[in-house]
Amino acid sequence: MCKTLPAISINGTLYSRENANVSVFDHGFLYGDGVFEGIRIYGGKIFRADRHVTRLFRSAKVLDLPIGWTREEIVEEIRKTAREWAAINGVDVRNNDDPLYVRVVVSRGDGDLGLDPRKCPKPNVVVIVDRIKLYAKEQYENGLALVTTAIRRNLPDTLPPQVKSLNYLSNVLAKLDANRENAAEAIFFNTQGYVAEATADNLFIVSNGEVVTPPISDGALPGITREAVLELAAELSIPRREWHITMPDLFCADECFLTGTAARVVPVTAINARTIGNGRPGPITHRLMEAFVDLTCRDGVCIYDK
Ligand code: PMP
């Protein structure tokens, strides 16, 4: 894959990577005070733009962060920045099966060195479009090896896991655990001992033909890919359930996979050195991976004018 130039919009103006700057007084930088979204553009179409923007606004509402843009304006900015990416890289994204990745960041904006958000009159709205590749082709074919982490998913009465905020430090701590053990990802449990999710993906297991993923209340982000996979399971008449997953459920699952915007649907074949199922990506995982690829071809808001 050749290196591409990112397209970056800050508060509606396009910049090159060298010139794209926000202030060191931005409370996103000083305190992690802000929210974000990761979105894919498949074949020139923004996948589930509506749901991503809804989640962005919900996260912002919890932080009482007035974005100052309408939902439609955010989608337009993504479309504009993606067209800029295609132009500067000379790529026709409609004919390209390497999907783009969009990062939307809304930070509290410039303030002073104190924590008080009232000192930040105007949020910064940033859209970055580029490519991202989390895993190699072989990892999709053979599955990932994961570890569990002793770091617990954020408690709902601290920073609710449903809020996609700029504060990902427990995820970073868990990712460091994964790195130390040469694992692709780490799995969080919550304080009740149930699986919550991975550091940047939702987790599913397959047991006795049934697809199971933790309920949001167990500490999972309401993933857009998770939701799509649950819908696809229903379409394919695969039994599915949002239910607690314990450590034995995890280790003894027939299949396991992760879902996320950047990772898409990726099989898991080992956890803490236990083989999952027969150590190969399972049949239900394969069906859902294929169905998800089909869905990404069907769904989406085109970045070009209709
Ligand atoms: N959990 C966490 C903690 C995440 O950051 C993400 C997004 N990368 C997900 C799950 C997956 O959500 P989505 O499918 O909406 O990308």
Side-chain angles (χ1 to χ4, degrees), residues 13-278:
T13 304
L14 292 166
Y15 296 91
S16 66
R17 183 178 183 139
E18 293 67 38
N19 298 321
N21 298 306
V22 289
S23 163
V24 293
F25 288 94
D26 187 310
H27 280 206
F29 177 72
L30 289 174
Y31 295 111
D33 185 357
V35 295
F36 77 101
E37 275 299 314
I39 306 172
R40 283 276 190 188
I41 299 179
Y42 293 97
K45 288 182 292 173
I46 309 170
F47 184 70
R48 303 213 156 172
D50 225 48
R51 286 173 167 94
H52 279 287
V53 174
T54 298
R55 190 171 65 185
L56 182 76
F57 276 72
R58 284 174 65 95
S59 296
K61 186 159 190 182
V62 176
L63 299 189
D64 199 9
L65 168 55
I67 293 180
W69 292 47
T70 65
R71 298 162 52 97
E72 293 73 26
E73 285 168 341
I74 297 281
V75 175
E76 277 316 302
E77 202 57 24
I78 295 170
R79 294 177 70 228
K80 178 180 104 184
T81 313
R83 288 195 298 269
E84 172 73 3
W85 186 93
I88 60 180
N89 288 291
V91 173
D92 181 353
V93 291
R94 283 168 297 193
N95 300 330
N96 199 306
D97 48 20
D98 193 354
L100 302 185
Y101 181 78
V102 183
R103 176 59 58 91
V104 180
V105 179
V106 181
S107 66
R108 186 75 66 179
D110 291 13
D112 62 18
L113 290 176
L115 180 69
D116 191 346
R118 289 175 302 186
K119 303 278 181 61
C120 310
K122 192 172 163 290
N124 280 317
V125 177
V126 175
V127 177
I128 307 169
V129 177
D130 207 0
R131 286 208 170 117
I132 192 173
K133 192 167 186 206
L134 291 192
Y135 301 119
K137 190 165 167 278
E138 303 75 58
Q139 289 176 296
Y140 286 91
E141 286 164 4
N142 302 328
L144 305 177
L146 307 190
V147 289
T148 59
T149 174
I151 306 288
R152 294 294 166 248
R153 193 70 184 104
N154 300 343
L155 290 169
D157 54 357
T158 55
L159 179 61
Q162 290 93 316
V163 176
K164 205 163 162 57
S165 81
L166 295 181
N167 193 321
Y168 255 47
L169 282 184
S170 54
N171 309 56
V172 170
L173 286 175
K175 185 72 180 173
L176 290 171
D177 282 351
N179 291 351
R180 210 171 38 242
E181 299 191 47
N182 261 324
E185 253 283 9
I187 302 170
F188 281 118
F189 288 82
N190 62 25
T191 49
Q192 275 86 49
Y194 295 121
V195 171
E197 59 177 347
T199 69
D201 296 302
N202 291 108
L203 182 141
F204 286 72
I205 58 169
V206 181
S207 278
N208 300 319
E210 186 182 45
V211 169
V212 187
T213 194
I216 300 303
S217 54
D218 276 353
L221 182 81
I224 311 296
T225 324
R226 171 188 183 276
E227 184 186 31
V229 164
L230 286 170
E231 287 168 18
L232 291 170
E235 273 176 34
L236 295 170
S237 304
I238 301 169
R240 78 224 188 275
R241 196 150 56 117
E242 293 174 62
W243 195 241
H244 309 302
I245 297 177
T246 63
M247 189 189 283
D249 295 336
L250 192 60
F251 291 152
C252 303
D254 301 320
E255 302 178 33
C256 180
F257 60 89
L258 301 181
T259 65
T261 294
R264 292 171 274 175
V265 182
V266 57
V268 173
T269 45
I271 302 173
N272 289 6
R274 276 83 161 175
T275 300
I276 302 302
N278 65 5

